[in-house]
Amino acid sequence: MERLERCGRRLRAALAAGRGRRRPPWLLLAIVVLGSALKDGDLVPETPLQNKRNPLNVYFVKVAWAWTFWLLLPFITVTTYQFAKSKLLYGSMKSILTVLRRLSALLVGTAVWYVCTRVFMYIENLTGVCSTSGKVSEPRRLFDSKQECHQHNGIWNGFDISGHCFLLSYCALMIMEEVAVLEGLSIDQNSQLRVVINALFVSLCFLTMIWVFMFLSTALYFHDFSQKLIGALIGLSAWYGTYRSWYLKPFSPGLPLPNIPLSSKKYGYSR
């Protein structure tokens, strides 16, 4: 428990210094540009990460939204309720409604993930053609989708916007915004609730590190530069459009710190 507390304290200190939410968008764009330059220049060494079947890709990235959703769900629930209760902002029922309102950010995130990935698939199908290894004498077969092409052992060549760059950037930035609630949360050091919140917080931070690492892996080994850049820009736009624009308005899921503008957030997590 002491190690968990020390780890959580160091990560919270980074948030307090303001590094947690200012630099990541620019860092992600820099990774796309530099990673693509290294890839195009054949300067990237061969590693297991270039295999799409590597464990991090199969067990984490392929289900990135599920990991993000199910870790943020209890974190948002507990921290939002505790924040409203400790600051005496609302009564019990109003606090529960505030929790539900904040949890709707996960529904928004789910909608963003679903719509964007479907649009990416549509664009790839619309712009693609299928290359097969059939005999020259056989008539060329046309396929309407990537799935049909793969079912006939073909290779689909279309404009494949990087879903990894989109989703990993969006998930990482969303987590960083949500953990900002610790900047205004007061919990006794010896309470069980603090242990739970610390465990969730540290898990979310390590998950974010995995997302950024796999974002780097995607930039180094997969997709064309334009496909990665567009995917990352869409992820950044989804984050900015929600947490930096819509969530500032009354009829929205709201920010992690209720009724406190971003400019006035202070680090107040008791030790």
Side-chain angles (χ1 to χ4, degrees), residues 12 14-18 20-21 83 87 176-186 257 262 264-270:
R12 292 194 301 273
L15 287 175
R21 297 187 302 281
F83 181 85
K87 299 299 180 182
M176 289 180 181
E177 290 289 346
E178 291 297 339
V179 298
V181 71
L182 296 184
E183 296 179 25
L185 193 61
S186 297
L257 295 181
L262 288 171
S264 66
K265 290 181 179 180
K266 300 294 183 182
Y267 179 75
Y269 193 75
S270 65

Side-chain angles (χ1 to χ4, degrees), residues 23-64:
R23 299 177 183 175
W26 300 107
L27 172 63
L28 293 172
L29 288 176
I31 288 174
V32 169
V33 174
L34 295 177
S36 298
L38 292 173
K39 177 179 180 293
D40 294 341
D42 292 326
L43 300 175
V44 184
E46 292 187 3
T47 69
L49 293 173
Q50 67 191 92
N51 184 350
K52 293 183 179 181
R53 301 300 300 173
N54 72 77
L56 283 177
N57 194 53
V58 173
Y59 297 110
F60 283 90
V61 179
K62 291 293 185 182
V63 285

Side-chain angles (χ1 to χ4, degrees), residues 76-77 80-82 84-85 89-105 250 252-255 258:
I76 293 175
T77 300
T80 302
Y81 185 83
Q82 182 62 25
K85 181 181 175 183
L89 295 176
Y90 314 115
S92 296
M93 183 54 66
K94 198 76 177 290
S95 296
I96 292 174
L97 293 176
T98 302
V99 171
L100 294 176
R101 178 189 176 191
R102 288 267 41 259
L103 285 176
S104 66
S252 72
L255 293 169

